[in-house]
Amino acid sequence: SQTIHQWPATLVQPVGSPLSLECTVEGTSNPNLYWYRQAAGRGLQLLFYSVGIGQISSEVPQNLSASRPQDRQFILSSKKLLLSDSGFYLCAWNGGYSGNTIYFGEGSWLTVV
Amino acid sequence: DQQVKQNSPSLSVQEGRISILNCDYTNSMFDYFLWYKKYPAEGPTFLISISSIKDKNEDGRFTVFLNKSAKHLSLHIVPSQPGDSAVYFCAASVGGGADGLTFGKGTHLIIQP
């Protein structure tokens, strides 16, 4: 069966510090991968998606970047965090049998102080 | 421009009664719709979906209705149970969905004993 994991689960970072959130998917090959953010009162916002290694599409211009160094690995990064980057970050995947349905990881709480 | 709208931030329903969550969309290209359930500090979990070629899909206590002419869908939960208390997100996609889902802001469903 397919599983998705992301880490760390919680982190508190000072303004101006770097960020790295990692996500891996198991049990499937060539998945589509996504990073979403849930900020207070704003629902789930798509940040980046990737249909293959090295292929990244950005939905929202911002202080963040994403990379896909391996087929089932997706990384969300920032060189210098802003207070507005605080939120709940979710990695997700779809592909193969799942069709349009996207499956989410456990989420990572980021608080920028 | 919010393409998927959930106009009720919260809904309170008595246990055993029917819960009806509503969702409207503006993009006529959307052809696949999904509902997710989310508990605090967890990733959303997929509940039920419907293709635009159908107007109803049922899975146990959950039924989704789609009215394409009105660009409206709804999720019915019958009977409502305490474990149904969560935030429910409506989502939509175009085509194969590789470029991700567009989510509404969510409705917080509270089941009262």
Side-chain angles (χ1 to χ4, degrees):
Chain A
S1 65
Q2 294 79 16
T3 58
I4 179 170
H5 298 289
Q6 61 176 107
W7 66 93
T10 306
L11 64 167
V12 179
Q13 295 284 99
V15 169
S17 64
L19 170 73
S20 180
L21 298 178
E22 189 167 341
C23 170
T24 59
V25 179
E26 298 177 359
T28 186
S29 59
N30 197 31
N32 299 318
L33 296 173
Y34 309 88
W35 280 110
Y36 280 85
R37 177 172 60 195
Q38 183 183 18
R42 297 191 64 183
L44 294 169
Q45 182 184 35
L46 178 63
L47 302 176
F48 301 95
Y49 69 93
S50 171
V51 298
I53 296 174
Q55 300 179 59
I56 308 294
S57 296
S58 173
E59 290 294 303
V60 181
Q62 60 211 326
N63 186 42
L64 303 169
S65 62
S67 61
R68 185 171 177 174
Q70 300 180 43
D71 181 44
R72 291 170 291 172
Q73 183 185 29
F74 206 23
I75 298 171
L76 183 69
S77 304
S78 174
K79 292 183 179 178
K80 290 184 178 182
L81 285 168
L82 306 172
L83 286 174
S84 58
D85 292 323
S86 294
F88 191 51
Y89 289 82
L90 292 153
C91 183
W93 75 276
N94 79 346
Y97 79 94
S98 75
N100 292 49
T101 303
I102 285 179
Y103 295 93
F104 287 87
E106 309 95 330
S108 299
W109 270 112
L110 170 65
T111 303
V112 183
V113 296
Chain B
D1 176 32
Q2 196 177 354
Q3 299 185 63
V4 177
K5 300 178 183 178
Q6 294 177 257
N7 293 319
S8 299
S10 65
L11 174 68
S12 184
V13 175
Q14 196 167 15
E15 182 179 356
R17 307 293 289 268
I18 182 172
S19 295
I20 301 177
L21 296 102
N22 293 303
C23 177
D24 298 293
Y25 61 96
T26 58
N27 187 346
S28 58
M29 298 297 291
F30 286 143
D31 58 5
Y32 198 77
F33 304 89
L34 308 91
W35 284 95
Y36 285 81
K37 176 181 179 179
K38 185 182 181 303
Y39 294 118
E42 294 184 9
T45 54
F46 168 71
L47 269 180
I48 192 169
S49 62
I50 188 167
S51 164
S52 60
I53 62 173
K54 296 184 176 181
D55 54 17
K56 177 182 175 182
N57 188 27
E58 193 171 353
D59 184 2
R61 296 187 299 116
F62 302 93
T63 302
V64 56
F65 295 92
L66 175 62
N67 183 334
K68 288 186 291 294
S69 60
K71 294 191 176 66
H72 177 84
L73 65 156
S74 60
L75 174 68
H76 293 210
I77 306 174
V78 184
S80 300
Q81 299 175 353
D84 296 331
S85 294
V87 176
Y88 289 79
F89 288 97
C90 171
S93 69
V94 177
D99 54 352
L101 302 176
T102 301
F103 284 85
K105 291 188 176 182
T107 296
H108 186 194
L109 176 64
I110 302 163
I111 305 301
Q112 295 183 335

